[in-house]
Amino acid sequence: MDIMKLIDTVERLGVSYHFNNEIEEKIQQFFNLNTNYEDEDYDLYTVALHFRLFRQHDVFGKWINGKGELKEIPKGDAKGLLSLYEASYLRRHGETILDDAIDFTAANLKSMLSNLGSPLKKQVAHALFQSLHLGGPRIESCHFISIYEEEEQKNETLLRFAKLDYNLVQILHKEELSEVARWWKELDLISKLPYARDRMVECYFWAVAVYYEPQYSRARIMLAKAIAITSVLDDTYDSIGLIEELDILTKELANSYNVEAKWFIQGYMPPFEEYLSNAFISCAGGYLTIAMFLGVESVTKEDLEWLQCYMKEKGVTKEEAMNKFSEIATNAWKDTTEECLNPSSPYSREIFFRILNFDRIVDVSYKDNQDGYTQPEKVRVIVELESHKLIDHII
């Protein structure tokens, strides 16, 4: 159990990318043990932790009765309930037992929260606000470092390593942010397109959420720029374009992407000037030039809002529509989890993991029906408080 707990701690501290092979080897070893979880030595915390670390193994039999329902679980075991709560978010379609587990553990954790001591109280409060599985890895690691620092039985060497690693990676992130900020400033789009949102920092934050590890520096920079350009396009479509002008913009982009696809399929290497001419469009130059000359008359954003469309089509209230969207989002999370855990998938698990991370930053940014991209104050507060808290105690 000490090994499994160590693996969990290393992952939550954000330094597991240093030990990927070793962790995979140990997880596989434990998975192949066919452990008897009916044994009294395995309490709720242990069972839930093991379940979360190698999701495919059915280890909840001890807590399920003959009807497939949760047995009576000790309501006073806050640590065990928290472990079960976090593990249950790795649910797939049809696993109603885990749906029930989330509701059960959340209700009991809320009721006992005020009576808990630190750091468990802080950990429970944070989990109820943002579950580990749905949270951004970089943000969750930063938060867990501050929690782990208060643990009586912490590994001081591991804690110091996690802090130093966090700071070193953060230095790299700051350098990358400076680079994309210079690029954004040189483009000077905001002065030319005053309706567009100036959100370069937030775009980079989203890129970090998808992959924060040092080896993905180039990918982070490219993604941050792509998100920024996409944001400008989104604002253009939503706020200012005439339908006819938007049709031209859409066709130009589609044709450009189609040309590049044909080149790739045919194995054709175009002359540089031919490539540059097309790349100017596919990499944003062309459609941004068009966007600068779009008219100011368009349909209103309200006419395009999907929430209002759903309310109008279904004849439901805003609250009913939001409940439906919440259900759709929950099902989408289950879809993503299933694909990430599908051993027969022809696609790389790494691809699904990055998609999962993108889903996570969307959840963080738009939690509680707030637009954390258009109005990023909420996200900025979360990140700045956690970052400063860590930096103050780094040495």
Side-chain angles (χ1 to χ4, degrees):
M1 177 52 201
D2 289 340
I3 293 295
M4 295 294 275
K5 187 173 182 179
L6 176 61
I7 290 174
D8 179 51
T9 302
V10 167
E11 290 183 343
R12 299 188 69 165
L13 287 172
V15 293
S16 60
Y17 68 93
H18 291 287
F19 314 103
N20 283 333
N21 293 336
E22 292 83 355
I23 289 175
E24 287 298 323
E25 181 181 341
K26 288 298 180 182
I27 288 290
Q28 192 61 47
Q29 288 178 4
F30 271 87
F31 184 80
N32 293 332
L33 287 177
N34 293 320
T35 303
N36 179 18
Y37 287 96
E38 295 287 345
D39 193 306
E40 292 300 322
D41 290 338
Y42 291 95
D43 58 11
L44 178 60
Y45 168 80
T46 304
V47 172
L49 175 61
H50 281 217
F51 172 81
R52 184 163 57 79
L53 290 178
F54 47 71
R55 170 60 180 76
Q56 298 92 323
H57 194 50
D58 182 11
V59 298
F60 273 94
K62 182 177 179 179
W63 306 101
I64 302 174
N65 61 27
K67 298 180 180 179
E69 302 169 337
L70 277 176
K71 289 181 180 178
E72 186 67 25
I73 293 177
K75 297 182 180 179
D77 181 9
K79 187 177 180 181
L81 288 171
L82 177 60
S83 186
L84 175 57
Y85 172 81
E86 296 285 27
S88 297
Y89 272 96
L90 278 83
R91 54 188 170 173
R92 298 182 290 198
H93 289 289
E95 294 179 327
T96 56
I97 185 67
L98 297 185
D99 295 334
D100 295 339
I102 290 177
D103 294 338
F104 173 84
T105 53
N108 282 278
L109 287 171
K110 288 177 183 177
S111 67
M112 65 174 64
L113 182 59
S114 60
N115 298 320
L116 297 176
S118 288
L120 184 58
K121 182 176 183 178
K122 294 180 181 178
Q123 197 169 359
V124 169
H126 179 76
L128 291 173
F129 171 74
Q130 180 68 70
S131 68
L132 178 63
H133 183 57
L134 274 57
R138 185 70 171 167
I139 300 173
E140 293 304 307
S141 295
C142 187
H143 174 78
F144 186 72
I145 288 175
S146 66
I147 294 293
Y148 188 65
E149 192 169 30
E150 297 183 33
E151 292 282 354
E152 293 182 0
Q153 299 180 339
K154 60 180 174 289
N155 184 316
E156 293 287 356
T157 301
L158 179 58
L159 176 63
R160 182 172 176 78
F161 172 63
K163 287 184 175 182
L164 290 172
D165 183 78
Y166 185 96
N167 247 17
L168 287 173
V169 175
Q170 186 162 300
I171 290 172
L172 174 62
H173 289 172
K174 288 181 177 179
E175 292 173 352
E176 294 170 359
L177 179 57
S178 296
E179 179 179 337
V180 296
R182 283 193 298 270
W183 168 81
W184 185 245
K185 184 177 181 180
E186 289 170 1
L187 281 181
D188 195 25
L189 290 181
I190 300 306
S191 66
K192 302 169 184 175
L193 308 173
Y195 58 81
R197 290 167 290 182
D198 187 3
R199 293 291 181 269
M200 192 63 248
V201 174
E202 288 72 25
C203 293
Y204 179 75
F205 172 65
W206 280 47
V208 169
V210 174
Y211 20 52
Y212 70 89
E213 299 90 338
Q215 63 267 33
Y216 296 113
S217 177
R218 182 165 176 260
R220 264 191 305 277
I221 293 172
M222 293 175 65
L223 179 59
K225 292 179 179 180
I227 295 173
I229 295 301
T230 302
S231 178
V232 171
L233 277 175
D234 180 63
D235 292 339
T236 300
Y237 275 86
D238 282 353
S239 304
I240 203 161
L242 289 169
I243 297 299
E244 295 79 6
E245 293 171 322
L246 292 176
D247 283 342
I248 296 173
L249 174 60
T250 303
K251 289 177 182 178
E252 182 174 14
L253 281 171
N255 289 336
S256 174
Y257 294 144
N258 186 51
V259 167
E260 291 190 347
K262 287 181 178 179
W263 288 349
F264 177 81
I265 293 171
Q266 297 171 358
Y268 173 64
M269 179 64 69
F272 178 74
E273 289 299 325
E274 183 181 359
Y275 173 84
L276 192 62
S277 175
N278 191 73
F280 179 70
I281 300 172
S282 64
C283 293
Y287 60 71
L288 288 178
T289 302
I290 295 174
M292 294 176 193
F293 297 99
L294 290 175
V296 296
E297 298 178 15
S298 68
V299 294
T300 64
K301 189 173 183 180
E302 285 76 16
D303 292 332
L304 300 175
E305 286 288 349
W306 56 298
L307 174 60
Q308 294 192 2
C309 288
Y310 184 88
M311 292 168 60
K312 182 178 180 180
E313 178 183 343
K314 302 296 182 181
V316 297
T317 64
K318 181 178 179 180
E319 182 179 359
E320 290 172 326
M322 292 305 297
N323 289 337
K324 181 61 178 179
F325 291 156
S326 178
E327 178 186 331
I328 293 173
T330 297
N331 287 331
W333 275 112
K334 292 179 180 179
D335 290 338
T336 303
T337 301
E338 284 191 354
E339 290 298 331
C340 287
L341 301 175
N342 182 7
S344 61
S345 174
Y347 305 107
S348 167
R349 191 166 180 266
E350 177 72 11
I351 294 176
F352 288 117
F353 183 67
R354 300 306 162 186
I355 295 174
L356 174 62
N357 280 349
F358 188 83
D359 291 346
R360 285 165 167 166
I361 192 56
V362 171
D363 185 82
V364 170
S365 298
Y366 293 94
K367 182 173 288 294
D368 298 331
N369 303 326
Q370 298 185 56
D371 186 347
Y373 181 78
T374 302
Q375 299 174 327
E377 291 78 14
K378 181 190 72 168
V379 176
R380 280 177 179 165
V381 168
I382 293 174
V383 176
E384 288 174 4
L385 284 179
E386 295 298 343
S387 297
H388 291 161
K389 185 191 304 178
L390 179 61
I391 292 170
D392 290 342
H393 298 83
I394 210 69
I395 301 298

